[in-house]
């Protein structure tokens, strides 16, 4: 794909990350995750350990983090599994970055519900801020990726930026979010519509406003 992120040269990657190892804090967390599985099943913790490794790389580079090949190899060795098995996981899930990203990884949903609700306007806001799909801004601050459905269809359009979701967006609110992040401020997480808290109907609930039998407590029957 033309907008796919560029994977660095392997020789450069190995020179920089060939001696990667979990920090004491990351190792402690990794061993907790491994301990949740029966003996001989430690490989089941591969997703959690890849995430921990990516976050450690992010901490060391002041970015959202990514998984260089030597880091994936380290995780595989830590779990006693073939490298290819760990690599298959890292390449399957978009939560793992296989190339360097910026401080803020802006993932815009372009699937049908978000598209119908204005995801093109969200992309336009990103473009006008200097973001380009599959690339990182020259200041290293933003990386833009278009992704498939992230499960927030009821509050479309939405984006995920690092670990946070921003929903019910339009051109202006997306522009404001990017501006806040660039200025070192924390924008409001979740829905951007005033008076809405989660994904309840905008304007208030329209169903299940009252119990059918107000004198009967159904809670003990589930």
């Amino acid at each position: 794909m033309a907008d796919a992120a560029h994977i660095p040269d392997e020789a450069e990657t190995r020179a920089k990350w060939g001696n990667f190892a979990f920090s004491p804090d990351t190792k402690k967390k990794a061993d907790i995750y491994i301990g949740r599985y029966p003996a001989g099943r430690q490989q089941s913790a591969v997703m959690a350990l890849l995430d921990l490794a990516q976050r450690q790389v992010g901490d060391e580079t002041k970015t959202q983090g990514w998984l260089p090949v030597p880091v994936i190899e380290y995780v595989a060795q830590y779990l006693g599994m073939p490298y290819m098995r760990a690599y298959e996981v890292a390449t399957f899930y978009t939560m793992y970055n296989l190339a360097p990203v910026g401080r803020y990884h802006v993932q815009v949903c372009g699937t049908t519900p978000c598209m119908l609700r204005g995801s093109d306007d969200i992309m336009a806001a990103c473009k006008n801020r200097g973001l380009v799909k599959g690339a990182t801004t020259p200041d290293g601050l933003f990386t833009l990726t278009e992704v498939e459905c992230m499960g927030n269809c009821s509050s479309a359009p939405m984006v995920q930026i690092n670990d946070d979701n921003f929903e019910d967006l339009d051109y202006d609110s997306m522009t404001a979010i990017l501006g806040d992040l660039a200025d070192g401020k924390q924008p409001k997480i979740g829905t951007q519509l005033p008076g809405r808290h989660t994904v309840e109907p905008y304007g208030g609930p329209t169903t299940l406003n009252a119990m059918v039998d107000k004198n009967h407590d159904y809670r003990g029957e589930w």
Side-chain angles (χ1 to χ4, degrees):
M1 295 176 61
D3 58 1
H6 173 68
I7 297 178
D9 177 77
E10 185 171 346
E12 296 178 10
T13 301
R14 290 195 178 278
K16 184 172 183 178
W17 297 103
N19 295 321
F20 176 86
F22 283 151
S23 67
D25 183 57
T26 302
K27 184 180 186 304
K28 181 178 179 180
K29 294 177 182 177
D31 291 342
I32 290 174
Y33 285 125
I34 293 172
R36 294 176 180 176
Y37 297 95
R41 299 290 183 179
Q42 69 275 7
Q43 296 178 11
S44 299
V46 62
M47 289 190 67
L49 267 62
L50 286 172
D51 180 67
L52 289 174
Q54 178 167 278
R55 291 176 186 275
Q56 181 173 320
V57 171
D59 290 340
E60 294 179 12
T61 58
K62 305 301 181 186
T63 67
Q64 203 247 346
W66 67 294
L67 290 174
V69 168
V71 175
I72 302 175
E73 291 174 340
Y74 175 84
V75 170
Q77 184 179 27
Y78 198 90
L79 292 172
M81 63 192 300
Y83 160 73
M84 185 52 63
R85 293 289 179 258
Y87 183 74
E88 287 171 345
V89 174
T91 55
F92 183 83
Y93 294 100
T94 57
M95 64 184 282
Y96 304 115
N97 303 315
L98 299 181
V101 295
R103 177 69 185 87
Y104 300 107
H105 188 189
V106 181
Q107 301 182 77
V108 179
C109 178
T111 311
T112 305
C114 280
M115 180 187 68
L116 294 175
R117 292 280 294 165
S119 64
D120 286 348
D121 292 337
I122 309 310
M123 276 295 188
C126 293
K127 180 179 180 180
N128 287 344
R129 184 76 197 190
L131 281 67
V132 177
K133 280 199 297 182
T136 300
T137 52
D139 58 7
L141 202 57
F142 297 108
T143 298
L144 177 62
T145 305
E146 183 176 359
V147 298
E148 297 304 316
C149 183
M150 290 191 284
N152 291 75
C153 305
S154 296
S155 48
M158 64 85 61
V159 304
Q160 179 177 322
I161 304 178
N162 293 2
D163 291 332
D164 297 323
N165 287 352
F166 299 87
E167 308 154 35
D168 291 314
L169 297 167
D170 58 21
Y171 179 91
D172 291 336
S173 58
M174 187 64 199
T175 299
I177 288 169
L178 295 175
D180 283 346
L181 293 174
D183 293 338
K185 302 175 183 178
Q186 174 59 60
K188 178 180 180 293
I189 298 170
T191 177
Q192 302 300 301
L193 288 178
R196 196 178 194 195
H197 302 289
T198 53
V199 291
E200 75 281 4
Y202 189 53
T206 58
T207 59
L208 302 178
N209 287 323
M211 296 292 291
V212 176
D213 184 353
K214 295 183 179 180
N215 296 319
H216 189 91
D217 187 349
Y218 294 93
R219 289 174 296 178
E221 299 182 6
W222 293 98

